[in-house]
Amino acid sequence: MPEVLTTRARLGLRTSAFAMMIGAMPALAQVAPLPGGTSAEPAATADTVTDPFSGEVQGADDADAATTDGEIVVTGFRGSLDRALNIKRNEAGAVDTILAEDMADFPDLNLAESIQRLPGVTIERDGGQGRTISVRGLGADFTRVRINGLEAQAAAGGNRSRGFDFSIFASELFNSITVRKTQSAEIEEGSLGATVDLQTGRALDFGAGIHGAVAGQASYNDLSEKTLPRLAGLLSWANDDETFGALVSVAYSERRPTSESFNTTRWQSGNPAQAYGAGNNFAGCVTCTTAEQRSEVLSAFYPRIPRYTIGSFSEDRLGLTGSLQWKPTEDTEIILDGLYSRFNQEAESPNIEAISFSRAAGGVRETVLREYEIDREKNTLSYGVFDNVDVRSENGFSRDESRFLQVSLNARHAFTDRFRGFLKLGSSHSKLRTPLSVSYMFDALNVDGFTYDFRGNDRLPQISYGFDVTDGRNFTLTEWRRSTGGADYRLKTAAGRLEYDLTDDLTIKAGAEYRTYGFDTFGFQQAVSALTGADRATDVTNLGKIETIAGGLDIPAGTDLNYIVPDIFAINDVLTRYNDPLIPAFNGTREVQEEDTGAFAQVDFDTLVGGLTVRGNVGLRYAHTQTTSSGFLGADGGVAEPEYVDVDNGYSNWLPSFNLAVEPAEDLVVRLGAAKVISRPSLGDLTPGGTLSIPTRRVTYGNPLLAPFQATNYDASVEWYFAPEALLAAAVFYKKVDSFINTADPEMVPWRSLGLPDSLLAGTPASPDEDFEVIRRVNGEGGTLKGIELQYQQPFTFLPGVLNNTGFIGNVTFIDSDVNYGASGRNRLTGQSNLIYNATLYYEDDRFSARASAAYRDDYLVSFPGGNGNSEEGVNATLNIDASISYEVTDGVRLSVEAINLTDEYSDRYVDATNRVSNYRHFGREFLIGARASF
């Protein structure tokens, strides 16, 4: 009977990957007795690989069975690491995988949080959780995600892009995540960065009979001080012959995070060449007695909307999976998978602010600067006392509802021992709705004595409004907003592949697929935002509530921490306009219908050359894309009403690829890869919607005729599997991107080249033969992206005593890019951090386990150039630390404690290279305690 070494726990600990590597190097290849006194090495796992066509991890269910008496079966977390390492080693391309530790037991609570543990991967966080990923410096729009082999689009909230939102799904619903960083012809086109495969559980993965697991946790956030449930369960059955099985799983969770922040909505400056009260200049400066002082003040940047904010969120997530698996023989298998997810979020965001600085007419042009101090390093007004300031208290409430449903069929059949066929069919629908978004504004106009002071803390200033902001008699209800909206993503796929073993070493593959990608979004809004008559209440005492911001932020003394804000539902009940019909929001209504047809031919080889194992593939893919983009081209002097416009476009691409893996020595793998790749334009850029002015002959719109992003990728790596379950690896990559999409400077363009219908000009003085001044998105200049990944993984079985139950996983990635932004100059790619690292230290014996992890991301750009005269916008570096412990009280029953974001890391968004604060925000720590049982 094999001895089982259980290894389950959660990730974490801030530690140095390089320090751990150096400390372990003298004993890298040593093997010591494992817990239980057995000196045998862990058994070699059976070959485990992934199928690039279906995205399925193959052979994982056999890996644990590849043992003999007296050998040790490594299971749980450490076992999942070993199997993932085996996948990486056997692949032809650059592949990293994360596997579930057990039934419905993924290493992290959030899929994005798990993926960030892989080399070259980092994530975007929102609401205190990971939502989207970036791979090797390329963001979510450049990454394709497939679920059970089918391309999928999951979105939530205001997302209207191609980026996949991982927060929609509970991690317990999935068995594996595979990140493919190199391209082969058999993988559908669409990614410049990576293709990510998510696979749900299937019955035959768990063997004959009935198997199941249930888990429950209580989650506590130290900022919101709420305790909420997280539940999951899985039930699997397969017949004794393991030819048929069925599986269902469910996961439900609730969250009530709270955010606290200070933000400025960017900074802007005046212009000393203009008079006081002109442009963005103050009305005057009391203490400016010289021309030099006046020039310095009007050249300095001031915050547009300085404010402390609170955000209260309420989330609930439900996920369901189902699977039927029929495998009558080893030659035939048919799998039917279903996945459903529901994600609801409500948010309320009360705050108080000085609104004058963001408005020219009626705002900053009437504001008088009474006292000031300038931070010359940042060129900002770091301190100011102002008169004639408009102060606004506002509150907004929104409810977002997301639904995702996918059904897929994967089938394979071996016609002979050399000839095989594969088929996949399926569709998915991601549905977003915002049934209610409403906000109200209380205004106090022309207030004297408003003060802000950044001199003591450039992230958390002292703010005083100059009057009692808790007294409703000082405010008037002036404006409101109400809107509804939604979006739908509909994807369908039909694909097939044939492969023939020409020899034992050579396989020929060919296939084709047809995919449709449908996207539409819509919105409706109130007709009039300014309130009049009885709705314009001049005493809001009974229409407001008192908010307090005094939680985790270290706000300077003297700041007004208590203030009245609109009570959303109290005003809803009395506002006479509340039920007025909403009108279409034309700029938020658009569609993209896309048809993708592809075919490929590929040769796989796995042979010996001069005594060396050589494997890989070479292939060619053809892709044709046909799009119809639709949107409202609106009135601007010459067009009476917005007109819904359809524009067709099409393009084709030939995409060669090559992957080579050579084993020049035992336990050493050298990889080379090259491929031409494309990524389709973002959905918002494709809209023909915008404005058309006949009198000035000007068009401002997206660009439905955009070509895709195109790049040539080169990859190389060396991997040394120097000991059982261990790896030391280095990878380099270089991407030459032919063109990035950006907004062009105005240019004169023939009307007929725009793709817009001539009917728009019918009955006007303009002719389709004329040139128009056009502002639009274009395929601009390209750029390069390059980097190196270093990876180290090893259980420290060579250490004495209990230390031989410890282990380490770590990686560090260095990335550099150079992008031509046209007239704005050159800079790195937006979303790209120069340095990324992840480190995990773990301990596991047969009962107790503990993990700690650190995930670091260097600063990165959000936009270049920045708005309002700032040179750039970006996010400063973050370091997130998580930890967990668990104990198996009896066979199959485990108790756990987890901590997420132990240091309460802040998200620090900035503007300008001088690092002016834009949004400094935190969501608190999250603690979970729970139990899990499996049978």
Side-chain angles (χ1 to χ4, degrees):
M1 180 71 179
E3 177 187 354
V4 176
L5 176 63
T6 57
T7 58
R8 303 180 183 102
R10 297 270 170 233
L11 294 172
L13 182 63
R14 179 177 184 176
T15 185
S16 167
F18 291 118
M20 293 301 300
M21 283 190 229
I22 293 170
M25 284 299 291
L28 283 176
Q30 299 179 29
V31 179
L34 293 170
T38 304
S39 59
E41 296 182 1
T45 58
D47 282 351
T48 308
V49 296
T50 63
D51 180 6
F53 181 78
S54 67
E56 183 180 3
V57 176
Q58 299 176 333
D61 52 336
D62 301 323
D64 288 339
T67 63
T68 60
D69 289 344
E71 294 175 333
I72 292 176
V73 182
V74 183
T75 64
F77 176 65
R78 185 174 146 195
S80 71
L81 293 178
D82 188 28
R83 296 193 302 277
L85 214 58
N86 194 41
I87 291 171
K88 182 180 182 72
R89 182 172 184 169
N90 293 322
E91 290 285 341
V95 170
D96 288 295
T97 301
I98 301 172
L99 301 174
E101 303 172 31
D102 203 343
M103 293 180 291
D105 189 16
F106 219 71
D108 286 271
L109 300 178
N110 176 282
L111 290 174
E113 303 281 351
S114 285
I115 299 173
Q116 74 168 337
R117 313 298 179 194
L118 298 175
V121 180
T122 189
I123 64 175
E124 295 272 2
R125 289 181 174 85
D126 186 31
Q129 61 185 337
R131 300 196 70 164
T132 61
I133 68 169
S134 172
V135 182
R136 291 180 167 179
L138 292 164
D141 275 357
F142 298 105
T143 301
R144 290 180 63 251
V145 177
R146 304 189 300 184
I147 299 177
N148 295 327
L150 299 184
E151 182 176 5
Q153 175 67 57
N159 183 13
R160 300 294 186 269
S161 71
R162 294 184 189 266
F164 189 95
D165 191 331
F166 289 88
S167 69
I168 298 297
F169 303 107
S171 63
E172 293 92 339
L173 300 176
F174 295 89
N175 255 16
S176 68
I177 301 175
T178 301
V179 178
R180 305 178 190 279
K181 300 177 185 175
T182 56
Q183 183 75 13
S184 61
E186 62 187 320
I187 300 175
E188 300 96 324
E189 77 290 340
S191 165
L192 261 61
T195 296
V196 178
D197 278 311
L198 308 178
Q199 183 182 319
T200 57
R202 288 165 178 168
L204 299 187
D205 293 343
F206 305 113
I210 296 176
H211 302 273
V214 292
Q217 291 177 300
S219 173
Y220 173 81
N221 182 281
D222 70 342
L223 198 57
S224 67
E225 299 183 341
K226 303 290 186 183
T227 301
L228 295 157
R230 184 182 178 99
L231 307 169
L234 180 148
L235 185 64
S236 171
W237 170 86
N239 62 3
D240 291 340
D241 296 332
E242 296 188 34
T243 59
F244 182 78
L247 178 146
V248 293
S249 68
V250 60
Y252 176 80
S253 63
E254 296 180 14
R255 296 180 72 238
R256 300 289 186 274
T258 295
S259 71
E260 296 176 332
S261 69
F262 172 78
N263 65 60
T264 61
T265 318
R266 299 182 301 278
W267 296 62
Q268 67 184 22
S269 70
N271 183 352
Q274 296 179 302
Y276 281 127
N280 290 321
N281 287 353
F282 299 117
C285 173
V286 174
T287 54
C288 294
T289 58
T290 68
E292 290 77 11
Q293 289 175 324
R294 176 187 181 278
S295 178
E296 187 177 40
V297 163
L298 294 182
S299 298
F301 282 72
Y302 53 85
R304 296 181 68 247
I305 308 180
R307 59 185 176 184
Y308 284 98
T309 69
I310 307 169
S312 300
F313 304 87
S314 174
E315 300 174 358
D316 65 83
R317 180 192 292 108
L318 173 67
L320 302 168
T321 73
S323 178
L324 296 175
Q325 193 171 8
W326 184 43
K327 190 177 181 181
T329 70
E330 288 300 317
D331 295 332
T332 303
E333 185 176 28
I334 299 174
I335 304 171
L336 179 66
D337 292 305
L339 170 63
Y340 170 81
S341 180
R342 184 200 73 197
F343 180 63
N344 298 325
Q345 183 184 74
E346 295 181 349
E348 187 173 0
S349 51
N351 57 76
I352 188 169
E353 64 215 17
I355 195 70
S356 286
F357 302 119
S358 66
R359 301 189 295 190
V364 69
R365 295 176 188 173
E366 298 178 359
T367 298
V368 176
L369 178 60
R370 198 166 69 193
E371 299 176 23
Y372 73 91
E373 187 169 318
I374 291 178
D375 180 341
R376 290 177 175 81
E377 183 177 338
K378 286 182 165 48
N379 188 29
T380 60
L381 282 171
S382 59
Y383 163 73
V385 180
F386 305 86
D387 292 337
N388 294 340
V389 174
D390 298 340
V391 174
R392 168 167 289 179
S393 171
E394 62 181 314
N395 192 10
F397 172 87
S398 64
R399 177 176 172 84
D400 295 313
E401 300 172 352
S402 301
R403 305 291 184 268
F404 178 89
L405 176 65
Q406 177 181 287
V407 178
S408 60
L409 177 73
N410 282 272
R412 64 175 180 84
H413 179 68
F415 301 100
T416 71
D417 58 351
R418 289 184 176 274
F419 184 46
R420 298 170 295 278
F422 301 81
L423 176 71
K424 61 181 179 182
L425 304 168
S427 66
S428 66
H429 180 196
S430 185
K431 177 180 178 181
L432 288 74
R433 294 293 183 268
T434 302
L436 176 62
S437 177
V438 60
S439 59
Y440 295 101
M441 295 80 179
F442 294 163
D443 284 345
L445 304 180
N446 300 319
V447 171
D448 292 339
F450 172 80
T451 303
Y452 71 70
D453 189 351
F454 289 88
R455 292 174 298 181
N457 189 325
D458 69 350
R459 260 47 193 170
L460 299 172
Q462 182 264 330
I463 294 181
S464 175
Y465 293 92
F467 69 105
D468 185 357
V469 291
T470 65
D471 190 344
R473 294 170 297 180
N474 293 326
F475 290 93
T476 300
L477 175 60
T478 59
E479 296 181 30
W480 81 308
R481 310 282 188 274
R482 185 164 77 91
S483 64
T484 65
D488 291 274
Y489 298 82
R490 294 179 173 88
L491 285 72
K492 296 181 180 180
T493 300
R497 182 187 82 192
L498 296 173
E499 58 184 49
Y500 179 73
D501 296 332
L502 194 63
T503 68
D504 291 343
D505 302 331
L506 204 62
T507 299
I508 299 174
K509 298 179 178 179
E513 68 274 335
Y514 174 76
R515 306 190 307 276
T516 62
Y517 187 112
F519 163 77
D520 66 87
T521 181
F522 64 90
F524 296 88
Q525 62 188 21
Q526 84 292 333
V528 178
S529 59
L531 296 174
T532 58
D535 287 334
R536 192 178 179 89
T538 56
D539 180 349
V540 299
T541 302
N542 295 325
L543 300 178
K545 59 182 181 179
I546 303 298
E547 287 286 348
T548 300
I549 180 166
L553 292 176
D554 187 16
I555 300 175
T559 298
D560 291 326
L561 300 177
N562 305 299
Y563 48 90
I564 191 170
V565 300
D567 186 329
I568 296 291
F569 298 101
I571 301 176
N572 288 353
D573 291 338
V574 300
L575 196 75
T576 63
R577 307 194 67 115
Y578 184 79
N579 292 314
D580 285 359
L582 302 179
I583 62 174
F586 294 113
N587 61 349
T589 301
R590 62 183 188 274
E591 295 178 64
V592 176
Q593 302 299 321
E594 184 176 281
E595 294 186 3
D596 305 321
T597 306
F600 77 92
Q602 179 174 305
V603 177
D604 290 5
F605 50 90
D606 189 344
T607 187
L608 293 175
V609 177
L612 303 180
T613 298
V614 178
R615 63 180 180 275
N617 56 66
V618 59
L620 179 65
R621 167 170 284 273
Y622 169 78
H624 177 73
T625 303
Q626 192 70 38
T627 63
T628 299
S629 304
S630 308
F632 281 99
L633 200 60
D636 182 9
V639 180
E641 292 292 336
E643 183 170 337
Y644 202 60
V645 178
D646 297 324
V647 179
D648 295 329
N649 189 31
Y651 48 85
S652 299
N653 300 91
W654 292 93
L655 306 170
S657 61
F658 167 74
N659 291 283
L660 176 68
V662 180
E663 299 183 15
E666 186 178 4
D667 298 325
L668 189 67
V669 180
V670 178
R671 301 184 194 277
L672 298 172
K676 284 189 173 293
V677 295
I678 65 168
S679 185
R680 296 180 174 87
S682 67
L683 300 170
D685 288 342
L686 288 173
T687 180
T691 59
L692 167 64
S693 173
I694 298 300
T696 60
R697 302 301 196 269
R698 172 179 289 183
V699 180
T700 301
Y701 73 144
N703 189 347
L705 301 181
L706 286 171
F709 298 90
Q710 301 180 65
T712 304
N713 293 351
Y714 302 95
D715 295 85
S717 65
V718 178
E719 301 163 8
W720 180 29
Y721 299 86
F722 56 86
E725 307 173 59
L727 169 68
L728 188 62
V732 295
F733 55 90
Y734 178 85
K735 301 175 186 290
K736 185 180 184 303
V737 184
D738 295 340
S739 174
F740 284 102
I741 295 172
N742 54 48
T743 300
D745 293 331
E747 56 181 339
M748 298 304 294
V749 176
W751 171 270
R752 295 192 189 277
S753 71
L754 299 178
L756 298 173
D758 294 346
S759 61
L760 290 169
L761 306 182
T764 74
S767 165
D769 297 320
E770 294 184 53
D771 289 349
F772 277 64
E773 183 183 51
V774 178
I775 301 173
R776 60 178 173 175
R777 302 287 282 172
V778 297
N779 295 100
E781 299 291 333
T784 59
L785 187 147
K786 56 190 175 182
I788 181 170
E789 296 172 352
L790 304 176
Q791 184 178 4
Y792 168 54
Q793 175 177 328
Q794 186 179 19
F796 297 149
T797 55
F798 54 84
L799 294 178
V802 296
L803 293 179
N804 69 8
N805 296 324
T806 62
F808 178 80
I809 317 159
N811 58 75
V812 59
T813 304
F814 303 93
I815 307 174
D816 183 42
S817 62
D818 179 45
V819 176
N820 189 333
Y821 288 92
S824 301
R826 308 186 75 91
N827 209 325
R828 58 178 163 159
L829 179 65
T830 56
Q832 175 248 307
S833 296
N834 291 334
L835 173 64
I836 303 164
Y837 71 74
N838 296 281
T840 299
L841 184 66
Y842 64 88
Y843 172 91
E844 301 181 301
D845 59 31
D846 57 354
R847 291 286 182 186
F848 179 77
S849 60
R851 266 182 270 172
S853 72
Y856 174 82
R857 180 178 189 179
D858 205 358
D859 65 276
Y860 60 94
L861 295 178
V862 173
S863 64
F864 178 79
N868 303 101
N870 295 278
S871 64
E872 65 189 45
E873 296 184 34
V875 178
N876 282 314
T878 57
L879 176 64
N880 286 81
I881 298 176
D882 307 326
S884 74
I885 59 174
S886 68
Y887 181 75
E888 190 170 29
V889 294
T890 186
D891 289 345
V893 178
R894 180 169 289 270
L895 304 179
S896 64
V897 178
E898 303 179 46
I900 311 299
N901 191 23
L902 266 173
T903 59
D904 190 14
E905 185 75 354
Y906 280 61
S907 171
D908 184 3
R909 185 159 176 160
Y910 70 90
V911 296
D912 203 72
T914 58
N915 195 28
R916 300 167 186 147
V917 62
S918 177
N919 193 7
Y920 189 65
R921 190 181 195 190
H922 77 135
F923 283 87
R925 305 167 182 84
E926 191 167 348
F927 302 92
L928 300 99
I929 183 169
R932 184 180 186 282
S934 59
F935 55 90

